[in-house]
Amino acid sequence: NYNTGTLTQTTIYRVFVNADESGCEDVYSVDVTVTVTPDITITAQPVGGSICTGGNFDLSVTANGSPNIHYQWEAFLSGTWSAVGTDSPNYNTGTLTQTTVYRVWVNADESGCEDVYSVDVTVTVTPDITITAQPVGGSICTGGNFDLSVTASGSPDIHYQWEAFLSGTWSAVGSDSPNYNTGALTQTTVYRVFVNADESGCEDVYSVDVTVTVTPDITITAQPVGGSICTGGNFDLSVTARGSPDIHYQWEAFLSGTWTAVGTDSPNYNTG
């Protein structure tokens, strides 16, 4: 038996087996190599990330140096580190419902190999996407535009895809933003927004459908008609208009050479 003692470099050995008695033929063993490798080094640390409730996450580590590396993943659960996973440089968390911290113990059975721990990494678990403020439609006149918006929370990285119902199908419009302007419209259009996230376990949601109603421009279908009164009398004027979604009226009188606002916001006006 022979113990090499502490080694810092790969070394080849053999043994000479012999005897002093007459006629004994001495022999050499085969050459054997004791390979010396560097201690374990983690060259790529695991990286955490974010998922939604019920999702899962892949962790990995890259290590080298030891002749036969082993891996023990650990999760910090209830105030203590607990072994999880198998002897692999890769680990999937499985379904998670709460934020969890992980690390991996990288080790080897061979003599002189110094074991190492990775950095601690966090897999953050957030609630699923919730729309907290739905978009609201409205009315415009032909050629006008309308601003739509949605407020959502929950996912670690929310994306937005606005859609318009055009020619019997939903078509993507706008950019990845919670806000969308319709641009100039000439016909009533229905919109919705698809709120989604790329992370594991995130349940995508659609907003309610909202309508932007397009009406013709204002048209006066019955003009006001003047008349005659005596001094101190008064006169009723009226107008009929249609087309706009929310028509306002400002009566004016030509007084002292200029138009002056009179009356209230009404299609009817009494001169007083």
Side-chain angles (χ1 to χ4, degrees), residues 44-220:
Q45 295 281 354
V47 178
S50 296
I51 59 173
C52 288
T53 300
N56 64 83
F57 195 82
D58 289 316
L59 295 169
S60 65
V61 69
T62 304
N64 57 28
S66 171
N68 185 25
I69 296 178
H70 298 283
Y71 305 86
Q72 179 57 68
W73 291 90
E74 298 179 349
F76 196 68
L77 304 172
S78 302
T80 187
W81 287 104
S82 300
V84 294
T86 58
D87 184 0
S88 169
N90 304 306
Y91 172 67
N92 180 275
T93 63
T95 300
L96 289 181
T97 57
Q98 63 181 7
T99 296
T100 307
V101 179
Y102 294 91
R103 70 182 183 185
V104 58
W105 179 45
V106 187
N107 60 90
D109 299 328
E110 288 73 23
S111 173
C113 296
E114 294 183 4
D115 307 332
V116 293
Y117 278 96
S118 72
V119 297
D120 297 352
V121 295
T122 301
V123 178
T124 303
V125 179
T126 61
D128 286 319
I129 296 170
T130 302
I131 294 178
T132 54
Q134 294 282 354
V136 177
S139 297
I140 58 174
C141 290
T142 300
N145 64 83
F146 194 82
D147 287 318
L148 295 168
S149 66
V150 69
T151 303
S153 63
S155 170
D157 184 21
I158 297 178
H159 299 282
Y160 305 86
Q161 179 57 68
W162 291 89
E163 298 179 350
F165 196 68
L166 305 172
S167 303
T169 188
W170 288 104
S171 301
V173 294
S175 57
D176 184 1
S177 169
N179 305 304
Y180 172 66
N181 180 274
T182 64
L185 289 181
T186 57
Q187 62 181 7
T188 295
T189 307
V190 179
Y191 294 91
R192 69 182 182 184
V193 58
F194 174 49
V195 188
N196 61 91
D198 298 327
E199 289 73 23
S200 173
C202 297
E203 295 183 4
D204 307 330
V205 293
Y206 279 96
S207 72
V208 297
D209 297 352
V210 295
T211 302
V212 178
T213 303
V214 178
T215 60
D217 287 323
I218 297 171
T219 301
I220 294 178

Side-chain angles (χ1 to χ4, degrees), residues 1-7 11 13 34 36 111:
N1 300 309
Y2 172 69
N3 181 276
T4 64
T6 301
L7 290 179
T11 307
Y13 295 90
V34 178
V36 178
S111 173

